[in-house]
Amino acid sequence: MDTEAQHTERGPSSDAEPDRDSGTEEGPRSVRVSGDSAASGGSEHSADSGHSAGFGGSEHSAAPEFSEETDGAPSWRRTVLVGAACVAFLLLVSHFVAQPFLIPSRSMEPTLQVGDRILVNKLAYRFGDEPRRGDVVVFDGTGSFVREEPEGDPVGGLLRDGAAALGLAEPAETDFVKRVVGTGGDRVVCCDEDGRLTVNGTVVVERYLVPGDQPSAVPFDIVVPPDRLWVMGDHRSQSSDSRDHLGSPGGGMVPVDKVVGRADWIAWPFGRWNGVAGTDAFDAVPAPPAGGHPTGPATSRTGSRG
């Protein structure tokens, strides 16, 4: 009886053991099922993201998509903002410090060539200094070289000015680049009996001229008014300058306050990347007399330096 009872007691316990075993097997099986569900959850995310949101795999698969959306969207905005900031910076620099200008004609050869892009130093005359003889300057010829005209399309003009300020377009038709030959009070005469230019009675040897060009084919004898400039191109036979506007309002003289700046550098093309060469041609020219120049034919004397 005891044996049977023991056997009988062991029977249920032995029957229960498979349950424990099956429970033990079900544990890993349930884990495997969960793993499969988690793996399938990533694929089910595209079909039903709400259903798979509880699985770890779906959380990892959703994160890169959110990162791409948040990182990709501002990328073009950053590019636009950086580009706009660069343009604004260049416009500020060109307005206050140095402005590029495109050379459209042969009037300043050989110093400046057609297609050169020069940088004009706007600070050269900003702090009390004034243009000197021999300086290559850019100026607004409105009222001296060209007549004042009514303004056209303001939007088109603004866009053109912006492109010209960045050196991407030709300068306005009122902007000119020439060399200063006479300043306020100077008497500029061409030519003397030997065909030479004189300033305040001193012969100026202009080595910057195109070889073979004469100082001027048009004779003139002028006294530059105060705060005005007499300007000429280095390629005299190809330059329309103060000589051509003697009968215009202002007599071809450029007001000092119309000077944009001094041409100091050639920035393009790279093969001509250099500073604009200065000249000592006017070093021997004396200051104009305090009482002004006497009337009558000018007499010339040769300077100690050319």
Side-chain angles (χ1 to χ4, degrees), residues 33-55 57-59 61 65:
V33 169
S34 299
D36 295 340
S37 300
S40 64
S43 62
E44 291 175 358
H45 175 72
S46 59
D48 187 0
S49 59
H51 177 72
S52 61
F55 296 100
S58 64
E59 292 178 357
S61 63
E65 294 181 6

Side-chain angles (χ1 to χ4, degrees), residues 199-263:
V199 179
N200 297 336
T202 301
V203 172
V204 178
V205 181
E206 300 178 284
R207 296 190 181 92
Y208 45 75
L209 298 184
V210 169
D213 241 6
Q214 56 182 326
S216 179
V218 178
F220 58 86
D221 183 349
I222 57 94
V223 176
V224 183
D227 300 322
R228 300 268 176 164
L229 303 173
W230 177 268
V231 296
M232 302 173 73
D234 289 355
H235 196 168
R236 298 288 161 79
S237 61
Q238 298 291 324
S239 176
S240 176
D241 46 44
S242 291
R243 300 168 296 167
D244 298 279
H245 300 280
L246 286 170
S248 303
M253 315 290 182
V254 178
V256 172
D257 59 8
K258 287 287 189 177
V259 174
V260 177
R262 186 179 62 212

Side-chain angles (χ1 to χ4, degrees), residues 61-75:
S61 63
E65 294 181 6
F66 179 77
S67 176
E68 288 177 2
E69 292 179 359
T70 55
D71 292 344
S75 61

Side-chain angles (χ1 to χ4, degrees), residues 20-212:
R20 287 193 300 270
D21 294 339
S22 64
T24 304
E25 292 177 2
E26 285 299 324
R29 186 178 303 167
S30 65
V31 171
R32 288 195 298 271
V33 169
S34 299
D36 295 340
S37 300
S40 64
S43 62
E44 291 175 358
H45 175 72
S46 59
D48 187 0
S49 59
H51 177 72
S52 61
F55 296 100
S58 64
E59 292 178 357
H60 292 293
S61 63
E65 294 181 6
F66 179 77
S67 176
E68 288 177 2
E69 292 179 359
T70 55
D71 292 344
S75 61
W76 65 270
R77 296 176 185 171
R78 285 197 297 267
T79 302
V80 171
L81 289 176
V82 170
C86 290
V87 171
F89 174 75
L90 290 175
L91 287 174
L92 287 174
V93 170
S94 67
H95 185 74
F96 294 104
V97 181
Q99 181 176 349
F101 279 86
L102 175 65
I103 303 301
S105 72
R106 302 174 57 195
S107 68
M108 281 298 295
E109 292 176 335
T111 305
L112 302 175
Q113 306 284 343
V114 176
D116 283 353
R117 282 175 170 81
I118 59 173
L119 289 179
V120 175
N121 182 2
K122 290 191 168 184
L123 300 179
Y125 311 123
R126 186 65 61 86
F127 303 104
D129 200 5
E130 291 190 354
R132 302 175 181 177
R133 306 181 199 100
D135 287 356
V136 177
V137 299
V138 171
F139 60 92
D140 180 4
T142 304
S144 58
F145 277 37
V146 295
R147 297 179 180 178
E148 299 204 23
E149 297 181 358
E151 297 183 359
D153 179 19
V155 177
L158 184 62
L159 293 175
R160 179 183 176 85
D161 291 344
L166 297 175
L168 302 177
E170 291 187 6
E173 295 181 358
T174 60
D175 291 335
F176 298 87
V177 55
K178 304 294 178 187
R179 188 181 297 276
V180 177
V181 175
T183 58
D186 286 344
R187 185 175 188 178
V188 185
V189 179
C190 194
C191 298
D192 67 1
E193 55 275 4
D194 295 322
R196 301 172 299 181
L197 178 81
T198 66
V199 179
N200 297 336
T202 301
V203 172
V204 178
V205 181
E206 300 178 284
R207 296 190 181 92
Y208 45 75
L209 298 184
V210 169

